[in-house]
Amino acid sequence: MSSNPVINPDEIGIETNDSDWPDVRMEFTVPAHCVKLIVDRLESEGQKIEGPKLYDLLAHICFEEAVSRLDLEPIWGPSIIPMQKPMVLREGEDFCFTGCLDARLDIEWPDFGELKIERPIFEIDDALIDAELEEQGLDIGESSPSNERLVRGDEATGSLWIGNAESDECFINSTGVTIRVPAGNRPTLVEGIPVPELTGKLLGAGPGDHLEVVTNAPTLEGMPEIAGTKLTCRFTIDSCRRIKPATIDEIVSYYECPNIQGLRLQVYHSLELRFEREQMIQLTEHVLGLLMDMLELPYPERVLLEEVMR
């Protein structure tokens, strides 16, 4: 533990028990004179740490020494076993506590030649480019308040709730959320999440309407926690706006393209980059899923309990 030269780390007592494998249970003891050396060093540097903050620091030092001394490579990190009574460290006493760390696992890797990988294919055709240009026209078009029922291209603003359809765990709970009724055959995007089932509910709806659908969450960049989850989406409409889309010439001018052909080429390359990123995300998730099915990985009981209690 060279990062903490103020004490001799060999003086930290560590007794181990691996009955909870892959967790290693440890009884730590920091001798009283080592505790004093650490406290004195901190005070000499103008830091007065006591109580829970001192206990956390001492525990951190102990776990660091355990990782080094026992050659552990933990995945789940350390955990302190709660005591029956609150810890009170008096002057001249050893610092003692019980904690656990998961040990390095010896993984038997499967034969990767058995993996059957399905690579998602995306095709960019004229219809897809036309649909993208239609969306761009709506993005830069003129909007105005509307009391009419929603049609494709209109926008609705209201309160949104998205959560796990089975457990009711909430992922998103927001007000002032704007959702556009998509043009063409695109799915409705709700805070970046495709919810195709919502499109039919939005069409013909208006202020005061409460909409609810259930959808299967796809794999999304930045949202790994919802991948593959069945989601409930609830949306209450407060107000609506009608969009007058920009003309193709206005779009060409907005993006400073030389002509319509240049604009379509720019859209093509933009879609190509988007699809490459989506393809990589889906491919990665697919391969990880296959590997998890082929591997047997023991989880520490405390990790499973924390997940259940969430």
Side-chain angles (χ1 to χ4, degrees), residues 122-136 185-187 264 267-268 271-272 274-275:
F122 299 102
E123 294 184 2
I124 303 174
D125 54 17
D126 286 340
L128 198 57
I129 294 175
D130 289 339
E132 181 67 19
L133 287 173
E134 189 174 1
E135 283 293 319
Q136 295 295 331
N185 295 319
R186 291 183 164 216
R264 293 183 70 87
V267 170
Y268 178 90
L271 289 171
E272 193 173 42
R274 183 200 304 172
F275 289 159

Side-chain angles (χ1 to χ4, degrees), residues 47-60:
Q47 303 179 62
K48 185 173 179 60
I49 298 179
E50 55 188 13
K53 289 186 176 180
L54 176 60
Y55 308 155
D56 287 345
L57 174 62
L58 294 173
H60 177 74

Side-chain angles (χ1 to χ4, degrees), residues 227-238:
T229 303
K230 184 165 287 189
L231 302 176
T232 295
C233 175
R234 302 184 185 118
F235 185 57
T236 300
I237 301 174
D238 295 329

Side-chain angles (χ1 to χ4, degrees), residues 52-89:
K53 289 186 176 180
L54 176 60
Y55 308 155
D56 287 345
L57 174 62
L58 294 173
H60 177 74
I61 292 172
C62 288
F63 282 126
E64 275 196 340
E65 174 58 21
V67 169
S68 174
R69 188 186 303 180
L70 303 176
D71 192 26
L72 300 175
E73 295 181 8
I75 296 174
W76 305 104
S79 178
I80 296 175
I81 306 299
M83 304 175 67
Q84 291 184 344
K85 296 181 179 180
M87 179 179 293
V88 177
L89 181 60

